[in-house]
Amino acid sequence: MSERWFEGPLLGFDTETTGVAVDRDRIVQAALVDGARPGTETPRTWLIDPGVPIPPGATRVHGITDAMVQADGLAPVEALADVAAALRGAVDAGVPVVAFRAGFDCTLLSWELERHGIEQPDWTNMAIIDPSVLDKRVDRYRKGKRTLGVTAAHYGVAHSDAHSAAGDAVATVALARAIGAMYPEVGGLTPLDLRAAQVLWHAEDAASLEAYFRRKGRDEAVDRRWPLCR
């Protein structure tokens, strides 16, 4: 039997940021996690001085302060060029890129690359795998929160060093492998076919959530775009 995607090389990606507005906020830490096989994941982390103040609320989440990035952070153009080059390399090599709630991290990175004049990776042909989308597909009626920590625990995946980009990326890769191994609907697809399926699954889930909001009297739109929300 040929190797299935969850048994082979994956590149995990995660960020810590100044906030949640993808078009305005900045990346203060980025991590990429290479793993040729399960259990071989090796993280690379970039601490970034965004050039703008880090709000106290963001610092409470990830622990990164203005003093830390001013003392040890790289310039965004330097760090983000490295990240973008690695993502372009993954596309060229056919290695899937794994990100939890990829619509946030990928879209924010895309805005940052544009802001600093850095070449974008080929988002269209990037085989992105989002365990958040997969989990909602294979276990859609499970009650409770679906944060990375809660979802990882549900699948028996360790999540140490939470809310650091490297710790979250390592857990995200392990989570993708676990879901792929458990559900043939997911694990049996090629990476690019899985990417195409996730576009549809995310849109269906967004439409369902929007309908739920309507029933509750909330006039709230849910973005159907994935993995880039721009």
Side-chain angles (χ1 to χ4, degrees), residues 105-185:
D105 292 280
C106 293
T107 304
L108 193 147
L109 175 62
S110 178
W111 278 106
E112 281 274 58
L113 297 180
E114 182 176 299
R115 182 175 293 118
H116 295 288
I118 300 168
E119 181 184 353
Q120 301 273 346
D122 184 355
W123 297 109
T124 301
N125 292 304
M126 187 183 295
I128 298 174
I129 296 173
D130 185 342
S132 175
V133 174
L134 303 185
D135 173 54
K136 290 176 183 177
R137 175 67 180 185
V138 301
D139 196 4
R140 67 188 70 184
Y141 300 115
R142 189 174 78 248
K143 302 292 186 182
K145 294 181 178 180
R146 296 196 185 228
T147 62
L148 174 57
V150 170
T151 307
H154 176 75
Y155 289 94
V157 169
H159 184 206
S160 58
D161 203 14
H163 298 300
S164 75
D168 288 351
V170 168
T172 297
V173 169
L175 182 56
R177 294 192 190 278
I179 296 174
M182 189 177 298
Y183 292 97
E185 175 186 11

Side-chain angles (χ1 to χ4, degrees), residues 24-227:
R24 299 191 304 275
D25 279 303
R26 309 299 173 89
I27 297 173
V28 297
Q29 189 182 62
L32 293 170
V33 175
D34 287 300
R37 293 290 183 276
T40 66
E41 285 75 23
T42 303
R44 290 176 285 165
T45 304
W46 293 262
L47 183 68
I48 302 170
D49 183 353
V52 298
I54 302 172
T59 294
R60 283 194 294 271
V61 173
H62 49 57
I64 299 171
T65 65
D66 289 329
M68 291 167 63
V69 298
Q70 290 164 7
D72 299 313
L74 297 169
V77 68
E78 178 183 354
L80 298 176
D82 286 346
V83 173
L87 292 174
R88 290 195 298 271
V91 175
D92 292 343
V95 173
V97 175
V98 185
F100 192 86
R101 295 182 177 164
F104 174 77
D105 292 280
C106 293
T107 304
L108 193 147
L109 175 62
S110 178
W111 278 106
E112 281 274 58
L113 297 180
E114 182 176 299
R115 182 175 293 118
H116 295 288
I118 300 168
E119 181 184 353
Q120 301 273 346
D122 184 355
W123 297 109
T124 301
N125 292 304
M126 187 183 295
I128 298 174
I129 296 173
D130 185 342
S132 175
V133 174
L134 303 185
D135 173 54
K136 290 176 183 177
R137 175 67 180 185
V138 301
D139 196 4
R140 67 188 70 184
Y141 300 115
R142 189 174 78 248
K143 302 292 186 182
K145 294 181 178 180
R146 296 196 185 228
T147 62
L148 174 57
V150 170
T151 307
H154 176 75
Y155 289 94
V157 169
H159 184 206
S160 58
D161 203 14
H163 298 300
S164 75
D168 288 351
V170 168
T172 297
V173 169
L175 182 56
R177 294 192 190 278
I179 296 174
M182 189 177 298
Y183 292 97
E185 175 186 11
V186 169
L189 296 178
T190 68
L192 286 177
D193 284 346
L194 182 56
R195 177 211 160 93
Q198 288 171 102
V199 171
L200 297 176
W201 295 342
H202 173 78
E204 290 171 359
D205 182 68
S208 176
L209 181 58
E210 194 171 280
Y212 170 79
F213 288 152
R214 295 290 184 272
R215 291 194 299 271
K216 296 295 184 179
R218 294 166 57 184
D219 186 19
E220 187 172 336
V222 182
D223 201 322
R224 288 162 170 73
R225 295 172 295 177
W226 181 97

